[in-house]
Each structure stands twice: as structure tokens, then as C-alpha cells.
Amino acid sequence: MLDVLKYQRSGQPKASNGKGAIDIDRVSITFGTGPTAHRAVETTSLKIMPGEFVCILGPSGCGKSTLLNAIAGYVKPSSGSVRVDGVEVEKPGPDRGMVFQQYSLLPWKTVYENVAFGPRMAGKSRREAGSIANTFLGMVGLRKFGNRYPAELSGGMQQRVGIARALANYPSVLLMDEPFGALDAQTRLMMQESLLEIWQKFGTTVVFVTHDVDEAVFLADRVLVMSAAPGRVIEDLRIPLPRPRSTDMGSMPDYIRARQHCLEVIRAESRRAFEEQNA
């Protein structure tokens, strides 16, 4: 880890009621059995504090999404445990909102209905769910588009609806799997800034998977770099950039040093994996 990068939490929000702590304890994840078994994640332990914004970075196929899915409850560890606020994760739950790269909206429902759907399933009245939907659509700047259908929106707008929908159940943890990967460069920058604004207001813990080094350094309090498969965390880099952040921080020395360090770690790991595959 770079000694010059000292952690600063200036301007970082606190999660509601201090919730959103994640404890990953000696987790390994293997798919299949016998000679065809594939170990996606090697024995990995880490802790994420309530309200932190953590990015998981690494070469393709390193198990980033698999580890995220274990936190979400979609994948069960082969060994070890994942706990959120002290409770072991055994299945998906409303305390963990998920945003995927694919927008995953219900195409037959309006934007308003998509966001209200989660609260309604959680037992809220139609009026309560509607109020929640309007609140979060306003937070992502789409209240005027509530009566539109997903197909009528741009990719960036659909992803903002996805974020609003994930937040509508007031989760303590927001899990994001390369949510901006399909967007053009300019829209992606706008979405990154918008996400940080929402995070500052909402204060939930965010775990964000990306393969983009610049995105990780810009967004995160901490960047976790994973090795090539089987993946494990080989670097826990704390980013000292102050908050609120803006895209003009790319020229700051701390940003440049953090970016270069991440690139060097990933490049070395990718080279090692390539050499092993061709040995």
C-alpha cells in the first residue's frame, strides 16, 4: 500500500443508525465439483464500515462480481461467512439493494411503478409506496418522468431509475455491479457525480464493482484490488481525495499516485495470470 495515501473521511456521510457494516470472513467460492470445479474466490477476509464507499477492482474474471453476489445473497460461499450488521447472509434481503449493469427494470411498468414496486412488496400501502417513489425519483432528478416507460428513457436515465428503485427500500447496503459500464463516456461521468451526490445525502454503505481504474479512484474511500482467479484481495488502498469530489480532481497529485498504483498492481497481476496460463 502507498504510505503517502492517508485516509481522510472529510465530508463522508454516516449511514442511518450506523447500519451497513459488512464482515467477510475467510470466504471461498467454488463452482462445480471434481475435475471441472472452478474456484472463483480464494480465502478472502475484509471488513467494510457503515457509510463507506468501497470499489472492487481487478482483472477480468477475478471474481469481483462473484464476491458482490455473495454479499447480496445470490451466491452461497463454499466456506467462510458473509455478515451484514452481524447477521449472516443466507439469501437476498431488503437490507441490500442491488444495481446491475443491465438496467433490469420491469418494461411493462412505468418508472413510478418500478420504484414503488419494492415498497409495495414490503407491505407499504399504495400511498406510502407512492410517496417513497416520488422522493427517490426526485433525488435522481426524474420525478417528471414517472409516467414514462423504461423503453422511453435513455440508458443513463434508466440506470438512475435502477438506483432509485434500489434505494426505495432504504437498504443499509447498496451493491453495484459495473452499473455504468454500458454508458457512453460523458454520461458515465455525469452518473458518477450524480451517484456521489445521492450517496452524500443517503449515507448508505456502497460496494461498487468496476474494471475502470479512474472510476474506482474517483468514487471510492477505499479501492480493493483483487488478484486474477481465483480472486482474493491483494491490495486495500485508501483514497485521500477530499469530498465532495468533482471530475477536475484528475490532475491532483494524490489522484495520479493512486491511479498509477492501482494500474501497476493490476498490470502485474494480469501478467502473472497470463504467464501461468501459457506455462
Side-chain angles (χ1 to χ4, degrees):
M1 183 181 297
L2 289 180
D3 293 334
V4 296
L5 295 179
K6 296 181 179 179
Y7 192 35
Q8 298 176 1
R9 294 176 64 88
S10 174
Q12 179 176 326
K14 296 179 180 178
S16 300
N17 301 319
K19 292 185 177 180
I22 301 171
D23 186 0
I24 297 174
D25 183 25
R26 293 171 293 177
V27 163
S28 294
I29 301 172
T30 300
F31 296 110
T33 58
T36 62
H38 170 67
R39 174 154 289 198
V41 176
E42 191 60 84
T43 310
T44 294
S45 298
L46 62 97
K47 295 181 184 294
I48 298 173
M49 300 299 292
E52 278 194 303
F53 198 125
V54 174
C55 282
I56 303 178
L57 189 65
S60 296
C62 72
K64 303 185 294 294
S65 295
T66 300
L67 186 60
L68 193 76
N69 284 330
I71 301 173
Y74 296 128
V75 171
K76 187 174 179 61
S78 305
S79 61
S81 65
V82 178
R83 294 179 180 273
V84 174
D85 293 322
V87 178
E88 186 164 359
V89 172
E90 296 182 345
K91 61 182 180 180
D95 60 327
R96 284 151 286 135
M98 190 84 176
V99 181
F100 302 93
Q101 181 174 351
Q102 295 77 23
Y103 309 127
S104 303
L105 301 177
L106 302 175
W108 60 90
K109 289 184 178 291
T110 64
V111 165
Y112 171 90
E113 291 168 339
N114 264 279
V115 179
F117 182 76
R120 287 288 287 160
M121 292 299 99
K124 301 290 185 184
S125 69
R126 188 178 300 276
R127 183 175 180 178
E128 288 177 305
S131 177
I132 292 169
N134 281 327
T135 294
F136 285 100
L137 284 175
M139 189 176 288
V140 299
L142 291 175
R143 186 174 292 166
K144 293 182 179 179
F145 294 85
N147 291 326
R148 301 281 187 90
Y149 287 88
E152 299 177 87
L153 304 182
S154 68
M157 293 169 76
Q158 288 190 56
Q159 199 58 295
R160 281 152 66 189
V161 176
I163 293 170
R165 187 180 63 173
L167 292 174
N169 282 323
Y170 292 91
S172 56
V173 175
L174 181 62
L175 305 170
M176 310 187 78
D177 192 0
E178 300 196 41
F180 309 146
L183 304 178
D184 63 84
Q186 186 59 43
T187 303
R188 186 169 186 156
L189 288 174
M190 292 173 62
M191 288 298 299
Q192 290 168 3
E193 290 185 318
S194 178
L195 174 61
L196 288 181
E197 290 175 4
I198 293 168
W199 172 69
Q200 289 286 152
K201 293 175 184 176
F202 198 74
T204 190
T205 303
V206 176
V207 184
F208 187 108
V209 165
T210 181
H211 65 273
D212 188 302
V213 172
D214 286 288
E215 183 168 67
V217 173
F218 175 65
L219 292 174
D221 294 316
R222 294 164 59 196
V223 175
L224 306 178
V225 184
M226 292 186 68
S227 68
R232 68 189 189 285
V233 175
I234 56 174
E235 192 85 14
D236 186 344
L237 185 65
R238 298 182 181 270
I239 306 298
L241 298 174
R243 297 192 186 275
R245 293 183 183 171
S246 60
T247 52
D248 59 6
M249 287 181 171
S251 60
M252 293 178 64
D254 282 339
Y255 183 101
I256 295 171
R257 281 194 290 269
R259 178 182 185 276
Q260 185 61 31
H261 185 65
C262 289
L263 284 171
E264 290 173 357
V265 173
I266 293 172
R267 187 180 298 118
E269 192 60 29
S270 297
R271 185 184 303 115
R272 181 188 67 78
F274 179 80
E275 291 173 350
E276 288 181 355
Q277 292 170 359
N278 290 276

